[in-house]
Amino acid sequence: MASQEEVFKKIVAHCKEYGFVFPSSDIYDGLSAVYDYGQNGVELKNNIKKYWWDSMILLHENIVGIDAAIFMHPTTWKASGHVDAFNDPLIDNRDSKKRYRADVLIEDFIAKIDEKIEKEVQKAAKRFGGNFDEAMFRATNERVLQHQKERDEIHERYSKAMNDNDLAGLKQIILDCGIVCPISGTKNWTDVRQFNLMFTTEMGSTADGSMKVYLRPETAQGIFVNYLNVQKTGRMKIPFGIAQIGKAFRNEIVARQFIFRMREFEQMEMQFFVRPGEELKWFAYWKDLRLKWHKALGLGDGKYRFHDHEKLAHYANAATDIEFEMPFGFKEVEGIHSRTDFDLSRHAQFSGKKIEYFDPELNKSYTPYVIETSIGVDRMFLSIVCSSYEEQQLEGGDSRVVLKLPPVLAPVKACVMPLVKKDGLPEKAREIMNMLKFDFKCTYDEKDSIGKRYRRQDAVGTPFCITVDHDSLQDGCVTVRYRDDMKQDRVKIDDLRGIISQAVDMKNVLRKIMD
Ligand code: ATP
């Protein structure tokens, strides 16, 4: 069986071969950690965004959307804390000349100890069979206890160094743990330095002097600076939310894992403004609802887990990640944060404007508290493609690659194909295309054998193939072939719209979230 790493390589290659994701400026050999979405990728991405947008804007009458500019007044980023503190600690290996995030090196080392513990537990579970008492084993086994002790000590030193911004302390942990560069295999490390992740550029003509501006590293601040505008013009009453989808930019130190960590990416963020003191109730509400949003797609409930943050940002009083099981382990796809009144207060302070809400029920004014849900479109895209990709061996020695995308998100919903390119079958197929194209993204394919055409559609995840044959001209029926089980049905042309709609209508998935 192929290793997860090999599978992931195949998925990346598949994304390119079938027009989902291309390296940026490919003819110039690409640009590191920047990608373009191709003809199928853009459809899948747009469908993901629509699913998120509709789940916020249609299902909640107290949530509205905005589309703020990427450039913002530079003071925004002073107020938000990004100019001073949006840093990652970086370290270089002098021999390989490779650059790493010091925190990631240490976290990976801790994860390896965790793996060792799990292996001991699994080995023992096998040995003892049905009588195995896992809790007892974890509490008493010498080797497990030793690993656990080592883990806890490193973790404690690591948390403290991160909290205290102690860069020498981080380096010392790397040295003490004997962490080596995976390329050179040596411990010849430089000191740890802070590296700001924001991109800058210049705005304005040089004659007047120009102003340094930032490419936004998150979309959230566009929402905070518009809080007053939206609240007033929309006559919004607390609790209410503002949602936004847009590009964000981070000069990531180590960009790897394809579209998981990009330098230009897209976020879908919603800031929900609540009464102070009610934030933890709303945090729990959004935690639950966001997980339902993910699960309603049917990728498998076991693929998600929450990772509650132990180390909170100084302004947060609760935070969790929704992690998804990627081929390279459980990874963050979405963050849910209780940000207190930090952002609005800071913008009030830096702008000199009063940013408050008068609550008629309490008859007083206050700075609202905020719950944020923040998800990366590209990470969501990656999680969907990874969990949908399947290589199947079929009867008769044949094989296929199928993308079992949730039909509601599939780039193409149906492919219409005439059995042969003559006898009036292409005309009939075109007629069907013309009937369906107002409701669904459809393609037409008349080249090669039917088998080859099916394979092409399987590879891009098209849920329905519709074949027009000679009988169709007489009986007004066509053959529908389903992507996942490859079964075929003879159905009336007039029923096609209903059959496809049942499977791909977003309403059906949205309803599941609110069940
Ligand atoms: P990480 O710890 O992986 O760097 P983060 O905690 O900094 O992520 P947030 O600032 O909470 O991420 O951003 C919210 C979401 O934006 C993340 O859950 C992720 O889906 C997405 N995201 C963040 N950085 C990137 C990136 N470089 N490339 C693609 N998506 C990203």
Side-chain angles (χ1 to χ4, degrees):
M1 231 179 67
S3 72
Q4 288 296 75
E5 204 172 317
E6 282 163 349
V7 172
F8 189 55
K9 272 198 190 138
K10 285 187 187 177
I11 292 173
V12 175
H14 189 89
C15 279
K16 179 163 183 192
E17 192 180 343
Y18 288 93
F20 283 89
V21 182
F22 305 128
S24 151
S25 0
D26 202 11
I27 56 169
Y28 295 104
D29 297 330
L31 180 65
S32 169
V34 186
Y35 291 90
D36 296 342
Y37 286 84
Q39 66 279 13
N40 288 315
V42 70
E43 296 293 340
L44 173 55
K45 202 177 177 211
N46 283 342
N47 292 339
I48 293 170
K49 289 194 267 186
K50 182 169 166 46
Y51 176 45
W52 184 87
W53 189 260
D54 287 357
S55 75
M56 291 291 171
I57 305 296
L58 300 188
L59 301 189
H60 302 272
E61 54 186 282
N62 58 349
I63 297 182
V64 292
I66 61 163
D67 183 21
I70 287 170
F71 291 135
M72 301 181 70
H73 193 287
T75 308
T76 309
W77 304 107
K78 260 303 217 195
S80 68
H82 284 81
V83 171
D84 297 320
F86 195 52
N87 301 321
D88 277 340
L90 70 81
I91 189 165
D92 294 284
N93 182 271
R94 290 200 186 89
D95 298 322
S96 66
K97 310 261 181 287
K98 289 278 169 205
R99 179 160 285 180
Y100 299 90
R101 268 172 64 177
D103 56 335
V104 172
L105 286 178
I106 298 170
E107 276 175 17
D108 285 352
F109 186 80
I110 293 174
K112 276 199 197 116
I113 305 179
D114 286 339
E115 263 169 43
K116 281 187 200 159
I117 296 175
E118 289 319 306
K119 271 205 187 121
E120 292 290 345
V121 174
Q122 278 165 18
K123 253 185 359 204
K126 246 194 202 152
R127 213 170 341 120
F128 293 112
N131 299 328
F132 183 54
D133 181 343
E134 188 181 322
M136 173 75 111
F137 181 78
R138 281 182 192 272
T140 54
N141 179 270
E142 264 313 307
R143 268 197 300 267
V144 169
L145 289 177
Q146 222 172 347
H147 288 316
Q148 192 63 46
K149 185 163 169 274
E150 187 194 7
R151 184 210 189 276
D152 291 345
E153 277 169 12
I154 298 170
H155 191 264
E156 200 185 319
R157 280 178 68 192
Y158 166 61
S159 301
K160 186 163 168 13
M162 288 296 279
N163 276 327
D164 298 350
N165 205 7
D166 173 9
L167 302 181
L170 284 177
K171 178 170 180 187
Q172 201 53 49
I173 299 172
I174 291 175
L175 296 177
D176 292 349
C177 292
I179 297 175
V180 295
C181 162
I183 309 283
S184 67
T186 71
K187 297 176 209 159
N188 193 4
W189 297 110
T190 61
D191 285 343
V192 178
R193 279 168 295 147
Q194 286 292 21
F195 178 78
N196 193 294
L197 299 184
M198 281 199 294
F199 285 100
T200 58
T201 187
E202 308 263 307
M203 182 178 272
S205 71
T206 43
D208 306 345
S210 56
M211 178 162 70
K212 179 165 140 185
V213 289
Y214 300 94
L215 270 68
R216 65 180 179 198
E218 61 175 31
T219 58
Q221 299 304 324
I223 294 179
F224 293 127
V225 299
N226 275 298
Y227 164 82
L228 283 177
N229 285 338
V230 174
Q231 193 274 320
K232 287 200 174 122
T233 57
R235 302 195 325 277
M236 308 303 292
K237 290 199 176 57
I238 275 191
F240 75 90
I242 304 179
Q244 174 170 223
I245 299 178
K247 289 274 185 154
F249 304 82
R250 294 183 190 179
N251 198 3
E252 299 280 1
I253 299 173
V254 191
R256 4 163 229 191
Q257 289 156 338
F258 192 36
I259 55 173
F260 182 79
R261 191 171 297 286
M262 303 158 90
R263 296 204 164 100
E264 173 180 341
F265 57 102
E266 208 163 0
Q267 289 185 315
M268 306 189 281
E269 296 197 297
M270 194 279 300
Q271 311 292 327
F272 199 69
F273 301 94
V274 304
R275 272 185 194 159
E278 292 190 354
E279 70 276 11
L280 293 181
K281 176 184 94 183
W282 285 110
F283 177 75
Y285 171 86
W286 281 107
K287 203 174 148 178
D288 178 56
L289 199 61
R290 292 304 303 147
L291 188 62
K292 281 192 180 141
W293 181 89
H294 285 275
K295 287 186 174 172
L297 287 174
L299 299 176
D301 289 1
K303 287 189 175 283
Y304 302 91
R305 71 177 190 199
F306 282 118
H307 170 241
D308 294 329
H309 290 204
E310 292 166 38
K311 174 184 171 272
L312 294 173
H314 57 285
Y315 52 79
N317 65 2
T320 194
D321 296 334
I322 295 179
E323 295 185 337
F324 187 84
E325 193 177 12
M326 304 270 192
F328 41 91
F330 272 94
K331 295 285 168 195
E332 170 184 344
V333 173
E334 171 158 6
I336 301 158
H337 312 122
S338 173
R339 297 177 72 120
T340 67
D341 60 353
F342 174 79
D343 302 272
L344 291 184
S345 304
R346 293 275 292 187
H347 286 304
Q349 185 190 332
F350 278 74
S351 67
K353 305 264 168 12
K354 194 168 153 198
I355 307 182
E356 286 191 342
Y357 174 76
F358 176 74
D359 194 323
E361 281 173 39
L362 302 180
N363 196 27
K364 67 171 192 185
S365 293
Y366 52 77
T367 308
Y369 271 43
V370 172
I371 305 301
E372 161 183 86
T373 72
S374 173
I375 170 171
V377 181
D378 313 271
R379 281 198 194 169
M380 186 66 199
F381 183 108
L382 185 61
S383 65
I384 291 166
V385 170
C386 288
S387 61
S388 302
Y389 180 90
E390 253 182 63
E391 294 173 10
Q392 294 179 340
Q393 289 304 322
L394 306 174
E395 280 166 28
D398 206 1
S399 69
R400 70 167 182 160
V401 172
V402 56
L403 275 192
K404 289 190 169 174
L405 299 170
V408 67
L409 299 181
V412 179
K413 306 304 186 197
C415 179
V416 186
M417 19 179 113
L419 188 60
V420 290
K421 261 193 274 185
K422 53 181 186 183
D423 306 333
L425 302 192
E427 289 75 10
K428 189 74 191 163
R430 287 274 178 213
E431 224 178 81
I432 295 174
M433 272 290 285
N434 285 336
M435 173 186 90
L436 295 176
K437 74 180 178 192
F438 294 94
D439 291 303
F440 316 108
K441 169 78 190 148
C442 299
T443 54
Y444 175 85
D445 192 1
E446 58 178 24
K447 199 167 173 299
D448 298 325
S449 68
I450 280 286
K452 275 197 182 153
R453 286 183 256 172
Y454 283 162
R455 290 293 166 274
R456 278 201 287 270
Q457 294 307 317
D458 288 343
V460 299
T462 307
F464 299 99
C465 287
I466 298 164
T467 307
V468 176
D469 57 24
H470 291 92
D471 291 343
S472 307
L473 303 180
Q474 263 75 53
D475 63 6
C477 290
V478 286
T479 302
V480 170
R481 181 259 194 193
Y482 306 99
R483 176 194 70 194
D484 294 354
D485 57 12
M486 297 185 287
K487 290 208 175 110
Q488 304 189 3
D489 272 344
R490 193 82 186 154
V491 308
K492 285 206 194 87
I493 292 171
D494 289 343
D495 292 342
L496 281 173
R497 197 185 287 120
I499 293 169
I500 301 171
S501 181
Q502 178 62 25
V504 308
D505 194 338
M506 206 162 275
K507 280 198 288 287
N508 297 334
V509 189
L510 288 172
R511 273 200 194 101
K512 276 194 212 160
I513 308 174
M514 290 320 223
D515 273 353

